[in-house]
Amino acid sequence: DIVMTQSPTSMSISVGDRVTMNCKASQNVGSNVDWYQQKTGQSPKLLIYKASNRYTGVPDRFTGSGSGTDFTFTISNMQAEDLAVYYCMQSNSYPPTFGGGTKLELK
Amino acid sequence: QVQLQQSGAELVKPGSSVKISCKASGYTFTSYDMHWIKQQPGNGLEWIGWIYPGNGNTKYNQKFNGKATLTADKSSSTAYMQLSSLTSEDSAVYFCARSWRYGGYCFDYWGQGVMVTVSS
């Protein structure tokens, strides 16, 4: 199975910060990576698909980039409602696998 | 609008089975794969498998072969997952999620999740 390693595992941030997190695949996954946001007690929500495409209705402060094995997810202007755990997922080969998540907490 | 409504929380005994449901509405049920994902408390996400309700085709994560069985009822637009021979390791929240393909695929709609607790 492809291992998706996310870093950091947690971040202490302030409203207005620029937040960047990473996801590294154990082998080439092309651009078949998505990013999800999961708030406490909720189901995950799709933000970015195919590495860099913003899903319908997702604010433009969320961006994704990368291909191959290295991917980056950025929140350009952190808002309080963005506090959550963020997961990357690869769907290039079976089984699809998720990273361990990056948790955003208030400083 | 697209909705995936899952059944309620389950408390089940070790060694038993449980069947949870995911009722879809707002789209053509038979045209999209339905996936199931496991999340243990405080842990990340683990893919179990998918079913294509149009023809009943399924694909499983090898780890869940023999543990999970996916079915779908076209007449009620409902997907089901049965978990068998339950142990404490099966205590988790289980999500259904619709996928759409772009070459890879992503999960654009999710159910609210079903908490399954395995305890004697």
Side-chain angles (χ1 to χ4, degrees), chain A residues 32 34 36 38 43 91 94 96, chain B residues 39 50 59 102 104-105 107 111:
Chain A
N32 295 320
D34 314 310
Y36 297 87
Q38 187 177 32
S43 51
S91 60
Y94 281 104
Chain B
Q39 185 169 40
W50 60 252
K59 190 171 184 70
Y102 56 76
Y105 49 89
F107 304 135

Side-chain angles (χ1 to χ4, degrees), chain A residues 7-102:
Chain A
S7 61
T9 55
S10 65
M11 300 178 73
S12 294
I13 48 81
S14 301
V15 171
D17 283 354
R18 179 182 180 85
V19 176
T20 298
M21 62 188 73
N22 300 293
C23 182
K24 188 171 185 67
S26 61
Q27 54 188 275
N28 189 341
V29 294
S31 295
N32 295 320
V33 167
D34 314 310
W35 290 89
Y36 297 87
Q37 175 195 65
Q38 187 177 32
K39 298 181 180 179
T40 302
Q42 296 184 16
S43 51
K45 175 185 170 184
L46 175 65
L47 298 181
I48 302 289
Y49 67 93
K50 202 176 182 179
S52 60
N53 296 271
R54 207 172 291 116
Y55 185 61
T56 306
V58 174
D60 61 7
R61 65 179 181 273
F62 296 102
T63 58
S65 65
S67 67
T69 60
D70 293 289
F71 300 86
T72 300
F73 176 80
T74 300
I75 308 172
S76 61
N77 177 17
M78 179 75 185
Q79 301 298 300
E81 65 260 31
D82 301 334
L83 292 174
V85 181
Y86 292 82
Y87 295 98
C88 60
M89 185 198 87
Q90 69 80 23
S91 60
N92 193 66
S93 60
Y94 281 104
T97 47
F98 294 85
T102 294

Side-chain angles (χ1 to χ4, degrees), chain B residues 70-85:
Chain B
L70 305 182
T71 57
D73 177 3
K74 290 189 280 190
S75 67
S76 63
S77 298
T78 302
Y80 298 93
M81 178 173 68
Q82 179 162 319
L83 299 169
S84 61
S85 302

